[in-house]
Amino acid sequence: MTRVAFLGLGAIGTPMARHLAKPPFELAVWNRTRAKAASFAAANAGTRAAASPLDAARGAAVVITCLPTSADVESLLDGPEGLLAGLEKGAVLVDCTSGDPAGSRRIAARLAPRGVGFLDAPVSGGVAGAEKGALTVMVGGDAAVLERVRPVLAAFGAKIVHCGAVGTGDALKAVNNALLAVHIWSCAEGLAALAKCGVKPAVALDVINASSGRSNSSQNLFPERVLSRAFPRTFRLALLDKDVGIAAGVAREQRVPSPLVSLTAELFRAAHNALGEEADHVEAVRLLEQWAGVEIA
Ligand code: NDP
């Protein structure tokens, strides 16, 4: 049995952790709101609800974190009940947060002198992919450390890709999500303009999805979530705002001109401010609808 700890039972963390709640894994879970860890343990026999990050990490070969930001992960490291007090020599901290490269590098540097490995390992595929155990995991860090923990990641990941040094998984994830944001926003602008010309959004999507302007947004997100007005809450707009900001920062650091990503970061910050902490990422469309005075339905 491999002892694994999972910290952060949010929208995506919960279905990821479920795949580890069975042999050959022995799972401990920790969540800031303790009731969520208790009900997870009650629903998944054999899982232990840990009292603190230290308690979760103690004796674990692999500790997985899945929190909103790298700063949240850093905030769990210190203190008498913190992760550093529990992580044992030879263990690996795998951070599945969509984090920022500099934050991941800082965490790795704090763990290395203790003989604890670190990988940034953000995921894509959404809540549906997590439920199926079919996520893509993009990993930054030592390739040999990845090989050691690969069987753990394979419990929820169908595609596990080594990207490069610590921080490169985060960078790739942020760029992917910046593209998602560009597609959502540009699809909303196009469909709103067409609606005002008298073209029904369903007709527009039928054509676009058979043509070169198609994307995951036009093929899946708009038909299932916007035209239906369902807007299910699976991935918070606040988190996508954070991701596009990270992508803009990566481009800036690398001195790559990125006017489009920077503008998209501003648009998603505005949408996040207007729609609040609990809105779903696709609801950014509502801000454009308001500005345009038309509903994409
Ligand atoms: P949620 O907002 O649903 O959950 C966040 C989790 O982090 C909760 O368990 C919350 O605890 C915990 N948390 C928040 N702040 C802190 C803190 N300061 N200290 C300790 N725990 C904290 O987020 P998701 O599960 O959706 O996302 C997690 C990560 O995965 C993010 O980086 C996100 O960008 C990424 N991601 C999400 C996807 C999705 O489809 N949802 C897809 C791909 C990546 P509490 O219960 O107490 O609030």
Side-chain angles (χ1 to χ4, degrees):
M1 297 284 265
T2 305
R3 288 179 72 175
V4 179
F6 199 106
L7 292 83
L9 297 173
I12 197 145
T14 302
M16 286 166 71
R18 261 189 225 119
H19 295 288
L20 295 164
K22 46 182 156 288
F25 308 110
E26 194 179 316
L27 182 66
V29 291
W30 178 84
N31 193 67
R32 180 180 62 179
T33 304
R34 286 179 73 163
K36 283 192 204 166
S39 64
F40 183 97
N44 293 276
T47 300
R48 179 172 71 87
S52 64
L54 169 143
D55 182 32
R58 190 186 276 140
V62 181
V63 175
I64 300 175
T65 41
C66 190
L67 305 181
T69 66
S70 294
D72 294 322
V73 178
E74 285 184 280
S75 78
L76 297 189
L77 294 179
D78 295 302
E81 296 294 317
L83 271 177
L84 288 180
L87 279 161
E88 293 172 10
K89 193 170 180 214
V92 181
L93 177 62
V94 178
D95 186 18
C96 290
T97 303
S98 300
D100 65 272
S104 285
R105 288 192 293 265
R106 275 195 305 272
I107 298 170
R110 294 201 62 196
L111 299 179
R114 297 163 182 261
V116 176
F118 177 82
L119 300 172
D120 49 304
V123 299
S124 65
V127 171
E131 278 163 359
K132 287 187 221 134
L135 292 171
T136 295
V137 191
M138 48 214 99
V139 184
D142 188 332
V145 174
L146 168 58
E147 288 320 307
R148 267 165 52 210
V149 304
R150 188 179 281 274
V152 176
L153 304 188
F156 51 75
K159 185 176 171 83
I160 300 167
V161 181
H162 184 241
C163 305
V166 168
T168 54
D170 290 333
L172 178 40
K173 173 67 189 176
V175 168
N176 177 74
N177 279 21
L179 296 178
L180 164 67
V182 166
H183 292 154
I184 290 174
W185 195 273
S186 54
C187 195
E189 287 185 5
L191 293 185
L194 287 169
K196 287 190 142 179
C197 297
V199 182
K200 286 197 171 68
V203 171
L205 284 176
D206 189 30
V207 171
I208 289 167
N209 287 335
S211 309
S212 49
R214 69 186 181 274
S215 63
N216 178 56
S217 296
S218 68
Q219 291 181 305
N220 298 307
L221 297 179
F222 275 69
E224 290 165 16
R225 297 171 175 227
V226 180
L227 271 60
S228 66
R229 311 311 286 173
F231 292 109
R233 294 185 167 181
T234 59
F235 174 46
R236 292 189 299 122
L237 175 58
L239 296 172
L240 185 54
D241 170 21
K242 173 245 335 174
D243 292 336
V244 190
I246 293 170
V250 168
R252 223 174 11 251
E253 262 171 49
Q254 300 303 329
R255 298 176 186 274
V256 173
S258 55
L260 183 56
V261 173
S262 300
L263 175 59
T264 308
E266 280 184 39
L267 292 167
F268 276 75
R269 192 172 323 125
H272 173 191
N273 288 339
L275 297 161
E277 292 308 309
E278 295 310 317
D280 184 70
H281 66 302
V282 180
E283 292 187 79
V285 169
R286 293 190 197 273
L287 183 61
L288 189 275
E289 288 179 332
Q290 238 179 58
W291 290 350
V294 69
E295 207 170 78
I296 300 167

